[in-house]
Amino acid sequence: MTEPPRTPAAAPAPVTPDTAAGPADPAGPVVLRLPAEGPVVRDAGAGADLLGEAFGAAAEWLVVPAARFGEEFFTLSTRIAGEITQKFAQYRVGLAVVGDISRHTGASGALRDFVRESNRGRQLWFLADEAGFDARLGASRAARGGAA
């Protein structure tokens, strides 16, 4: 007896890099935007996997929904956030965590300070949404005379 042919499961939508500046400015930085669905970052190894995705796309910025980060990332005593962000800084790839993290910052003054200090820099940003990232990246580029 033969089995009926199986219908393959739908493949997830591919993640493709884009330029945050849009087609009007093709010299804009390459930004890789990850979907909310995907492996949860719970340790430095998973953070290295994110960095690998950025390198694979030759991205200068990686935008990751906050939902992709486990509780461990937001608990500073685990040192996971520091290890991950240090690797991104070492390889000069920006990391933007987008989404509501108020539950975490409301429970930890240290995390609140970490977020505030990170947002003052040029390497790690915590933002409410991708529109905030696009605006911040545009303002950052304008402040430096258009250089990425």
Side-chain angles (χ1 to χ4, degrees), residues 3-148:
E3 291 183 31
R6 293 184 183 170
T7 304
V15 178
T16 56
D18 66 293
T19 56
D25 185 2
V30 176
V31 177
L32 180 62
R33 298 167 192 267
L34 298 184
E37 303 78 32
V40 176
V41 177
R42 298 190 186 282
D43 57 33
D49 291 344
L50 290 179
L51 186 58
E53 287 190 55
F55 266 107
E60 296 168 58
W61 276 94
L62 183 65
V63 179
V64 184
R68 292 279 299 266
F69 292 93
E71 294 290 324
E72 302 86 349
F73 180 84
F74 297 105
T75 304
L76 295 183
S77 63
T78 66
R79 299 180 183 212
I80 293 170
E83 290 177 32
I84 291 171
T85 57
Q86 184 171 357
K87 281 291 184 196
F88 272 79
Q90 181 178 357
Y91 290 99
R92 298 181 186 195
V93 175
L95 175 62
V97 178
V98 295
D100 182 12
I101 62 167
S102 60
R103 177 174 65 87
H104 302 290
T105 57
S108 170
L111 179 62
R112 205 170 28 255
D113 293 343
F114 179 72
V115 168
R116 183 175 49 251
E117 289 300 317
S118 296
N119 283 344
R120 288 182 180 167
R122 296 182 185 173
Q123 194 66 43
L124 172 64
W125 296 337
F126 292 88
L127 302 160
D129 53 33
E130 288 191 36
F133 169 78
D134 292 338
R136 174 97 189 252
L137 186 61
S140 177
R141 291 186 73 229
R144 289 181 286 164

